[in-house]
């Protein structure tokens, strides 16, 4: 009845002069009969079952997001959305289960790992009845049936629930990690994310000390690396491990470097015991997982290897599939739910091979990391997080969140606080935690250490008991749970760390050393939070002003464009453009920046034809990306070009004399350039594209990346290059990873990829 009342209200808003929100979606439902479910509606329109219309009706039930619009499955208006929800609410679980939105190997795995006995209990319920059940019944009864819900069913359920209803379910279903309070009711954990633009161990180490000085950081120490070399990953793993072992905390939380799982396995093989929990991003269909260089068999084999205390850690996010060209006609909520079905299957495999150890398996949803092509505003971010909390929990997962936004979305620092307050009552297992809301390496907005302090105070959430006792031990909190004079003092934690190592020096000497370390770290562009403002959760005013300055710089940088004067400084520049009409189109519609304009293709064909039979081994491409200042700033591009040409030439590689310069270029534009230039090459050796491109702004460094593709001509000819066979070097600038060092690493990677 609630949905019927809702549609009457929407229709009344039309007839009585109210405002009807209309988007350029693809799906219109003009009317439905009271006896119709989704399948009866499709039958009435098409005369039989039609998969495409089925996908569109299911997609139209979603709250509006730009990503669904791009997929062609968004509702054209509010009336259509309400009608789609009415149809879904009347649809039986059995029918959704037997008519998947998309069939591939992942769907078959999800079917296989859906509990048959529990499915029998619910298969004849409608989704409306299921909604009423999860809203009104206690946790134990919900857990008695949720294993029988496949991922499509769970996705369809959240579509017909309001934000407040999602919150009701979120706050009563919990899947804590074995032997801990993490993921339990009333607890809000924190993954310290100690990222460094240069993978500097000192930057990483001190961000851990920083988090612990605010009594924050109880789930995992997890660093995103700039370089994915085995030696670099091992170096970071060893840095994180050392902190936990020194304090005797290696049984309380793991450490992790968020590189590809293949690389983590290599590190463990070469340095046994230096990895703890293993990380991997997951996608919602076979095609997208292939982009991540994943198969189901590969992940199942890795799951079988995880027999210790720490198993697997996953990351997902709505929109990752379609932005990698794998939308397959169905909506982002279903894609996301299928990722949780994959994680559930892997979790069960881990539990089966290590029933006594009960290894930890958990997942965090990165809601908002991709950009405005997925969704744009703060209300959509909240909706996405609430959907994902409930879908994760109903899959039996311990699910955390990265409540985040990119700096090219219209979500402000203050908006992010508002979002946290809307989402927190649903009690996610954990959130990210950094010195400030601004990640110094990934250049996006997320939750800072003091946000955790505020949320704990406002909502009464607790830190995992074992780590809270540790914070008492190092006197960040007292025996009554109150913050001490050491709260917000990372040097104090460093002092405790050295004492634990047996350092006999005076406190004054160690403090002087610690303060000098903070100065070095901040000079590298990594903020360290010290002290607080009026309240313990308020950032100190100087740091707050600095972060707002970085935010403002990012908003300027995102709209900047190459100047004619700068292009003239690039030797032998061959200027081409993509299908983006202008900067606004480029930011809002990323696929336009991935495809070359017809005139650009003609220009590149002319360049290629001029080579004759002597195509170079390497072609350098330069794109503006999301921050052309990263390319234009003095001391950024020129040193890299000189050093990389010298290095490659010295190693016997020929490098094209021209530089292809792309305006409104995305990473995949470089792959198309390679296909145009090298598809007809008769050489029997790899052909390399080095794509220099501006990274997201926000760190203050104005960093750029170099994407390296090195297949043989026959792969270029098949347009067979995508992210799964490409390497990347990130964080390059004269204030982060020096261009000359990046050039040397480029040569190393090119040699590895080409075997030359």
């Amino acid at each position: 009845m609630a949905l019927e009342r809702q549609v009457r209200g929407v229709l009344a808003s039309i007839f009585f002069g109210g405002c009807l929100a209309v988007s350029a979606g693809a799906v219109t439902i003009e009317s439905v009969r009271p006896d119709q479910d989704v399948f009866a509606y499709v039958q009435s329109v098409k005369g039989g079952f039609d998969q495409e219309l089925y996908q569109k009706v299911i997609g139209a039930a979603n709250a509006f997001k730009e990503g669904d619009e791009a997929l062609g499955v968004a509702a054209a208006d509010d009336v259509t959305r309400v009608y789609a929800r009415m149809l879904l609410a009347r649809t039986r679980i059995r029918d959704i289960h037997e008519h998947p939105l998309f069939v591939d190997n992942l769907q078959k795995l999800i079917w296989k790992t859906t509990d048959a006995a529990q499915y029998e209990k619910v298969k004849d319920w409608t989704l409306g009845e299921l909604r009423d059940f999860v809203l009104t019944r206690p946790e134990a009864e919900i857990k008695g049936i949720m294993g029988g819900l496949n991922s499509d069913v769970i996705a369809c359920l959240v579509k017909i629930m309001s934000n407040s209803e999602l919150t009701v379910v979120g706050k009563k279903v919990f899947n804590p990690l074995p032997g801990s309070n993490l993921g339990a009711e009333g607890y809000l954990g924190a993954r310290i994310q100690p990222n460094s633009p240069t993978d500097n161990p000192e930057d990483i180490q001190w961000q851990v000390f920083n988090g612990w000085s605010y009594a924050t950081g109880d789930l995992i120490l997890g660093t995103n690396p700039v370089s994915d070399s085995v030696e670099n990953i091992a170096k970071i793993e060893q840095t994180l491990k050392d902190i936990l072992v020194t304090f005797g905390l290696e049984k309380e939380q793991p450490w992790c470097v968020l590189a590809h799982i293949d690389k983590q396995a290599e590190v463990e093989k070469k340095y046994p015991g230096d990895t703890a929990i293993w990380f991997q991003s997951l996608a919602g269909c076979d095609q997208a997982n292939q982009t991540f260089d994943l198969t189901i068999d590969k992940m199942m084999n890795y799951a079988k290897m995880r027999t210790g205390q720490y198993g697997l850690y996953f990351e997902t996010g709505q929109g990752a599939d379609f932005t990698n060209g794998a939308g397959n006609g169905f909506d982002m909520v279903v894609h996301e739910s299928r990722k949780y079905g994959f994680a559930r299957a892997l979790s069960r495999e881990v539990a089966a091979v290590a029933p006594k150890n009960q290894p930890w398996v958990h997942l965090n949803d990165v809601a908002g990391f991709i950009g405005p092509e997925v969704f744009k505003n703060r209300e959509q971010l909240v909706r996405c997080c609430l959907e994902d909390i409930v879908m994760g929990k109903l899959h039996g997962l311990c699910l955390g969140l990265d409540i985040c936004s990119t700096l090219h979305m219209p979500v402000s620092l203050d908006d992010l606080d508002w979002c946290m307050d809307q989402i927190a009552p649903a009690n996610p297992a954990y959130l990210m935690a950094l010195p400030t809301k601004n990640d110094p390496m990934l250049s996006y907005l997320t939750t800072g250490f003091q946000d955790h302090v505020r949320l704990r105070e406002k909502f009464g959430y607790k830190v995992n008991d074992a780590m809270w006792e540790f914070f008492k031990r190092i006197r960040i909190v007292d025996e009554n749970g109150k913050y001490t004079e050491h709260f917000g003092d990372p040097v104090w934690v460093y002092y405790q760390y050295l004492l634990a190592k047996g350092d006999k020096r005076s406190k004054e000497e160690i403090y002087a050393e610690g303060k000098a370390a903070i100065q070095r770290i901040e000079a590298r562009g990594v903020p360290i939070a010290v002290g607080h403002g009026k309240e313990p959760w308020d950032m100190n005013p100087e740091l707050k002003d600095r972060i707002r300055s970085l935010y403002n710089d990012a908003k300027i940088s995102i709209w900047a464009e190459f100047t004619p004067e700068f292009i003239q400084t690039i030797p032998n520049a061959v200027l081409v453009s993509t299908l983006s009409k202008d900067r606004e189109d480029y930011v809002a519609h990323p696929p336009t920046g991935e495809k070359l304009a017809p005139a650009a293709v003609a220009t590149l064909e002319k360049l290629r034809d001029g080579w004759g039979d002597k195509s170079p081994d390497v072609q350098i491409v330069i794109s503006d990306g999301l921050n052309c200042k990263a390319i234009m700033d003095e001391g950024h591009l020129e040193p890299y070009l000189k050093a990389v040409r010298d290095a490659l030439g010295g190693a016997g590689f020929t490098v094209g004399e021209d530089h292809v310069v792309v305006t409104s270029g995305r990473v995949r534009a470089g792959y198309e350039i390679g296909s145009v230039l090298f598809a007809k090459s008769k050489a029997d050796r790899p052909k390399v594209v080095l794509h220099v491109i501006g990274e997201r702004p926000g760190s203050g460094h104005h960093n750029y990346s170099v994407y390296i593709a090195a297949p043989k001509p026959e792969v270029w000819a098949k347009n067979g290059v995508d992210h799964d066979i490409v390497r990347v070097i990130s964080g390059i600038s004269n204030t982060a990873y020096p261009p000359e060092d990046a050039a040397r690493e480029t040569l190393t990677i090119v040699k590895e990829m080409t075997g030359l």
Side-chain angles (χ1 to χ4, degrees), residues 214 437 449-458 483 487 531-540:
Y214 289 101
K437 284 185 174 70
F449 298 144
Q450 287 167 274
D451 292 318
H452 282 262
V453 176
R454 184 181 71 83
L455 293 172
R456 294 197 301 257
E457 175 69 21
K458 183 169 184 175
Y483 300 127
F487 177 82
H532 57 80
K534 182 179 178 181
E535 300 291 348
W537 50 84
D538 293 332
M539 197 180 299
N540 79 65

Side-chain angles (χ1 to χ4, degrees), residues 10 69-70 92 144 211 315 483 501 507 563 593 614 628 734:
V10 172
E69 182 180 53
R92 291 188 307 170
E315 198 165 78
Y483 300 127
K501 281 189 169 294
K507 176 183 173 183
T563 64
K614 297 182 179 179
C628 69
N734 59 0

Side-chain angles (χ1 to χ4, degrees), residues 578-624:
T578 64
L579 294 177
S580 297
K581 300 172 188 174
D582 51 32
R583 193 67 182 170
E584 185 173 348
D585 187 34
Y586 171 80
V587 171
H589 304 107
T592 65
E594 296 179 343
K595 299 295 292 181
L596 297 174
V601 174
T603 298
L604 293 168
E605 288 173 341
K606 183 178 179 181
L607 173 64
R608 177 198 65 203
D609 294 344
W611 292 338
D613 294 331
K614 297 182 179 179
S615 61
D617 298 322
V618 180
Q619 176 60 52
I620 298 175
V621 176
I622 302 162
S623 291
D624 45 9

Side-chain angles (χ1 to χ4, degrees), residues 117-355:
Q118 292 190 18
Y119 172 66
E120 286 296 317
K121 297 179 184 178
V122 300
K123 65 182 182 181
D124 292 320
W125 295 4
T126 65
L127 282 169
E129 290 169 336
L130 177 61
R131 178 193 59 206
D132 294 343
F133 182 87
V134 298
L135 287 173
T136 60
R137 308 308 297 168
E139 179 187 35
E141 291 186 31
I142 295 171
K143 287 192 170 184
I145 60 95
M146 69 187 195
L149 307 176
N150 80 16
S151 300
D152 284 7
V153 172
I154 292 173
C156 288
L157 172 64
V158 303
K159 292 167 186 279
I160 64 171
M161 299 176 73
S162 67
N163 285 9
S164 60
E165 289 172 335
L166 292 170
T167 300
V168 167
V169 178
K171 65 170 56 174
K172 70 173 172 179
V173 177
F174 298 93
N175 304 299
L177 294 177
S180 80
N181 311 106
L182 294 160
E185 182 177 4
Y187 286 81
L188 182 64
R191 169 198 153 190
I192 291 185
Q193 184 170 297
N195 291 341
S196 166
T198 58
D199 287 337
N200 187 298
E202 187 175 52
D203 297 351
I204 293 165
Q205 180 188 55
W206 273 83
Q207 288 178 79
V208 177
F209 298 153
N210 200 180
W212 287 351
S213 76
Y214 289 101
T216 296
D218 55 351
L219 175 95
I220 183 174
L221 308 182
T223 298
N224 300 86
V226 175
S227 168
D228 69 348
S229 73
V230 169
E231 292 304 320
N232 185 65
I233 295 166
K235 176 186 69 176
I236 300 172
E237 298 267 16
Q238 291 156 4
T239 297
L240 298 172
K241 176 184 178 181
D242 168 71
I243 299 169
L244 291 168
V245 170
T246 296
F247 280 117
L249 297 172
E250 66 272 23
K251 296 296 183 183
E252 308 304 337
Q253 64 173 298
W255 62 94
C256 183
V257 176
L258 280 69
H260 193 281
I261 195 167
D262 290 347
K263 292 297 182 93
Q264 295 166 81
E266 286 185 56
V267 172
E268 182 61 30
K269 184 176 181 180
K270 188 170 184 179
Y271 302 101
D274 277 358
T275 68
I277 202 166
W278 284 6
F279 165 84
Q280 182 55 49
S281 295
L282 299 180
C285 62
D286 293 352
Q287 183 184 354
N289 277 312
Q290 184 179 352
T291 304
F292 296 163
D293 193 19
L294 291 186
T295 64
I296 289 170
D297 286 345
K298 174 187 281 190
M299 288 305 300
M300 283 296 188
N301 286 333
Y302 278 132
K304 290 180 174 70
M305 296 169 62
R306 310 305 296 150
T307 57
Q309 180 184 357
Y310 301 124
L312 295 168
Y313 167 31
F314 306 120
E315 198 165 78
T316 66
Q318 288 192 30
D321 305 88
F322 95 85
T323 55
N324 279 294
N328 291 307
F330 64 100
D331 65 88
M332 298 191 299
V333 170
V334 174
H335 270 290
E336 186 70 9
S337 189
R338 285 164 56 100
K339 297 166 198 175
Y340 302 161
F342 194 2
R344 177 168 69 181
L346 292 167
S347 177
R348 290 180 178 177
E349 190 67 31
V350 170
V353 298

Side-chain angles (χ1 to χ4, degrees), residues 249-503:
L249 297 172
E250 66 272 23
K251 296 296 183 183
E252 308 304 337
Q253 64 173 298
W255 62 94
C256 183
V257 176
L258 280 69
H260 193 281
I261 195 167
D262 290 347
K263 292 297 182 93
Q264 295 166 81
E266 286 185 56
V267 172
E268 182 61 30
K269 184 176 181 180
K270 188 170 184 179
Y271 302 101
D274 277 358
T275 68
I277 202 166
W278 284 6
F279 165 84
Q280 182 55 49
S281 295
L282 299 180
C285 62
D286 293 352
Q287 183 184 354
N289 277 312
Q290 184 179 352
T291 304
F292 296 163
D293 193 19
L294 291 186
T295 64
I296 289 170
D297 286 345
K298 174 187 281 190
M299 288 305 300
M300 283 296 188
N301 286 333
Y302 278 132
K304 290 180 174 70
M305 296 169 62
R306 310 305 296 150
T307 57
Q309 180 184 357
Y310 301 124
L312 295 168
Y313 167 31
F314 306 120
E315 198 165 78
T316 66
Q318 288 192 30
D321 305 88
F322 95 85
T323 55
N324 279 294
N328 291 307
F330 64 100
D331 65 88
M332 298 191 299
V333 170
V334 174
H335 270 290
E336 186 70 9
S337 189
R338 285 164 56 100
K339 297 166 198 175
Y340 302 161
F342 194 2
R344 177 168 69 181
L346 292 167
S347 177
R348 290 180 178 177
E349 190 67 31
V350 170
V353 298
K356 292 183 179 179
N357 283 339
Q358 294 185 287
W360 288 12
V361 176
H362 61 89
L363 179 151
N364 79 254
D365 161 41
V366 185
F369 184 76
I370 295 175
E373 64 268 37
V374 174
F375 57 79
K376 290 183 178 178
N377 63 46
R378 67 181 195 170
E379 289 80 12
Q380 291 170 311
L381 174 56
V382 168
R383 176 68 190 185
C384 177
C385 288
L386 293 175
E387 290 166 346
D388 295 350
I389 288 171
V390 172
M391 290 194 297
K393 289 189 175 189
L394 291 181
H395 276 90
L397 301 171
C398 180
L399 183 133
L401 291 176
D402 194 340
I403 304 175
C404 63
S405 73
T406 65
L407 286 148
H408 57 308
M409 292 168 63
V411 176
S412 70
L413 292 163
D414 295 330
D415 286 339
L416 212 57
D417 287 338
W418 179 85
C419 291
M420 293 176 210
D421 287 351
Q422 309 310 303
I423 295 162
N427 207 161
Y430 60 93
L431 303 177
M432 303 301 104
L434 292 85
T436 74
K437 284 185 174 70
N438 190 40
D439 188 299
M441 187 270 277
L442 293 174
S443 298
Y444 78 116
L445 302 180
T446 183
T447 40
F449 298 144
Q450 287 167 274
D451 292 318
H452 282 262
V453 176
R454 184 181 71 83
L455 293 172
R456 294 197 301 257
E457 175 69 21
K458 183 169 184 175
F459 295 98
Y461 288 137
K462 295 181 285 186
V463 171
N464 187 33
D465 290 353
M467 285 301 294
W468 192 249
E469 289 303 313
F470 167 69
F471 295 139
K472 288 180 179 179
R473 173 156 61 93
I474 62 170
R475 290 184 281 167
I476 298 299
V477 294
D478 64 21
E479 287 304 314
N480 298 315
K482 303 298 183 182
Y483 300 127
T484 71
E485 69 274 17
H486 304 303
F487 177 82
D489 181 2
V491 182
W492 172 261
V493 182
Y494 176 63
Y495 174 53
Q496 297 299 311
Y497 166 77
L498 290 184
L499 290 180
K501 281 189 169 294
D503 197 312

